[in-house]
Amino acid sequence: MPTNQQIHLVSRPSGEALASNFKLIVSETPALQDGQVLVRHHFLSLDPYMRGRMNDAKSYTAPQALNEVMGGGTVGEVVESRNPKFAVGDKVVGMGGWQQYSVVDANQLGALRKVDTTLIPLSAYLGAVGMPGVTAWYGLVKIIEPKAGETMVVSAATGAVGSAFAALSKARGCRTVGIAGGPEKCRYAVDELGFDVCIDYKLHHDAASLSKALKDACPDGVDGYFENVGGMVLDAVLLCMNAFGRIAVCGMIAGYDGAPLPLSHPALILTNRLKVQGFIVSEHMEVWPEALKELGTLVATGKLKPRESIAQGLEAAPEAFLGLLKGKNFGKQLVKLA
Amino acid sequence: MPTNQQIHLVSRPSGEALASNFKLIVSETPALQDGQVLVRHHFLSLDPYMRGRMNDAKSYTAPQALNEVMGGGTVGEVVESRNPKFAVGDKVVGMGGWQQYSVVDANQLGALRKVDTTLIPLSAYLGAVGMPGVTAWYGLVKIIEPKAGETMVVSAATGAVGSAFAALSKARGCRTVGIAGGPEKCRYAVDELGFDVCIDYKLHHDAASLSKALKDACPDGVDGYFENVGGMVLDAVLLCMNAFGRIAVCGMIAGYDGAPLPLSHPALILTNRLKVQGFIVSEHMEVWPEALKELGTLVATGKLKPRESIAQGLEAAPEAFLGLLKGKNFGKQLVKLA
């Protein structure tokens, strides 16, 4: 039985999340029962939704239980199996949590999925060819419903969702504009991710200023917006939306830690006849096969080359996660566990 | 040629709209050209959208031109005709504006529509069986898409739109809750308009308090909301929305006069996966026949008995309109012109 490092949530944040909300625990993996497999995790995914789960509030995800392993997506390798469908050496993706190993009842539908790493790196199944990629796909394809020639905007442009959004939007013939923090990210968005323009929100101190920059970048206005951050950025984009624009609300990371951030001009929803719709990708499992097929092809053919920020070792996960909430990551935030 | 009183917009409001923005002008109706008819207006409709048109700002309607007759819906009677499709005595609905008579090019598609007043009073074609009724119908049927047993809420509940909304919502088997100002309106909403409950927003000084009253009135939460007012009321309803709720944004009258009213908790759109959609009924002419048929039947069979506030004479129109913006009207606001 290998030793298993785990990170537990031991307290809930009041305001900003802190490293002290987490605790590293060392345990042993239990012996397998029939139908179970033991997975050694290669990568853990860190995602903004985890911040919501740290609170004890009603939200779209159940709160993370205290003094248990933090939940999270993982990719890894089967190292022991008592399930005929999985063999030692199989590469798998699942929800193993913030730990080095997980014991999975592999007969449970959707608990563990074998993946092919011939053309797609294992870690991509946590990003572009995983939940973040499908998130971008659902918001763009099912809520925004873009038409060729329209203008699409996404915030957190160089993140896992934003970079997939760019590839999917460009593939549909749309002008694609990103919003990101800092010149390095903005350069990368244009040079490597295929954005037509990327705006550095850190150069702007209010929504009016950011909105002016957006208007310059979007001479025909904005038809579709994929929202990851909220706050000033949402205010700025709202001012640029065309009539009949669509906004897919996927995240509002700017308000996760503190006081709720208001929306300054909700009347624009009326005057521009906008559709503003929130969604959670895990509630739309029916689209995953179609979305993963397109995303897998984009990655395998080099049209989507998402960047990764990789923290080393489980003990680095809390700081990497807190950095993600502040936009310190650059691309998909992972933790390398093996 | 009869003398024709008209009300012109002579200046634009800065902040609150004032009576001095309007001016009564007396002119003569011009001689008819071929294809034209002269309509004597019986009623002028006063509607919140007119406030937006008084500004010179980009909005969903073109600004009202200065020193011209204020636009507006009218019902009346043909008193002279040089168009074979219209005879003297025909009852008609059109956009005659704030004046006693209008000369209409009746060959222009949609400019003038003959109506049957056997079972439906002429004035109803400006309210329940007109633009406000179709507005309620579109928001409910096409945006909210209610299911029997769900809970629907509408603000400005006793107005022309709200009262039609109640009849349409009840006809679909929904619990229907209104929000209105003052005990008299709330009693009327329940006793005469068929609301299950009506909440007096004037008893509440903040969104939290109003929201608590709404939660009591909606024990199963709110699935659909038809927004006429914005501001504190929208904040309060947002706090009560169920997952996958739908909000049709038709008006934000609370913010028409002054500073934009923010939305306090936009993150609820995400956490409850809401759809919030603005619309303008005049952009959906394709639904009018279906909607008017249902609304006409509801009125003709006595299932929808909308109340009217009737101002007497054209010179009373400005004050009646300013009162409407403050919620002083009780039911559909009309001006009797003949």
Side-chain angles (χ1 to χ4, degrees), chain A residues 37 41 57 72 81 92 191 196 210-211 233 246-247 312 315 320 333:
Chain A
V37 303
H41 301 153
S81 176
V92 289
D191 292 348
D196 293 297
L210 179 56
S211 166
V233 176
R246 294 83 66 194
I247 299 182
Q312 298 295 328
E315 65 279 9
Q333 181 66 57

Side-chain angles (χ1 to χ4, degrees), chain A residues 95-168:
Chain A
M95 292 294 290
W98 295 30
Q99 56 185 339
Q100 293 174 305
Y101 292 87
S102 61
V103 172
V104 183
D105 179 355
N107 288 327
Q108 205 184 311
L109 196 71
L112 210 60
R113 185 164 56 92
K114 260 187 270 195
V115 294
D116 182 348
T117 54
T118 318
L119 293 170
I120 298 171
L122 183 57
S123 61
Y125 289 102
L126 294 176
V129 194
M131 185 271 284
V134 181
T135 298
W137 191 96
Y138 189 88
L140 180 70
V141 176
K142 293 295 181 181
I143 294 181
I144 295 175
E145 301 182 85
K147 296 182 200 76
E150 288 190 327
T151 297
M152 300 292 130
V153 175
V154 61
S155 53
T158 60
V161 175
S163 54
F165 185 90
L168 294 166

Side-chain angles (χ1 to χ4, degrees), chain A residues 59-60 244 249-252 260-267 269-280 283, chain B residues 58-60 244 249-252 260-267 269-271 273-280 283:
Chain A
S59 185
Y60 54 84
F244 308 108
V249 182
C250 165
M252 293 213 172
L261 290 171
L263 180 68
S264 298
H265 296 92
I269 296 171
L270 170 59
T271 50
N272 288 327
R273 292 84 94 205
L274 305 179
K275 178 178 80 169
V276 183
Q277 187 163 358
F279 75 101
I280 309 296
E283 291 172 338
Chain B
K58 185 194 164 204
S59 186
Y60 53 84
F244 308 108
V249 183
C250 165
M252 293 211 172
L261 290 170
L263 180 68
S264 297
H265 296 93
I269 296 170
L270 170 59
T271 50
R273 293 83 95 205
L274 305 179
K275 179 179 79 169
V276 183
Q277 188 164 357
F279 74 102
I280 309 297
E283 292 173 338

Side-chain angles (χ1 to χ4, degrees), chain A residues 158-160 163 184 188 193 305-309 330-333:
Chain A
T158 60
S163 54
E184 194 192 359
Y188 182 80
L193 295 175
K305 291 175 288 185
R307 181 157 172 157
E308 297 171 341
S309 273
F330 188 164
K332 171 66 198 167
Q333 181 66 57

Side-chain angles (χ1 to χ4, degrees), chain B residues 76-163:
Chain B
E77 184 178 355
V78 173
V79 291
E80 197 187 328
S81 177
R82 289 187 63 180
N83 188 305
K85 293 189 205 128
F86 291 87
V88 170
D90 280 351
K91 300 292 191 298
V92 289
V93 53
M95 291 295 291
W98 295 31
Q99 55 184 341
Q100 293 174 307
Y101 291 87
S102 61
V103 171
V104 183
D105 179 355
N107 289 328
Q108 205 185 309
L109 196 71
L112 210 60
R113 186 164 55 92
K114 260 188 270 196
V115 294
D116 182 348
T117 55
T118 320
L119 293 169
I120 298 171
L122 183 57
S123 60
Y125 289 101
L126 293 177
V129 194
M131 186 271 284
V134 181
T135 298
W137 192 96
Y138 189 88
L140 180 70
V141 176
K142 293 295 180 180
I143 293 181
I144 295 175
E145 302 183 84
K147 296 182 199 75
E150 288 191 327
T151 297
M152 300 292 131
V153 175
V154 62
S155 52
T158 61
V161 176
S163 54

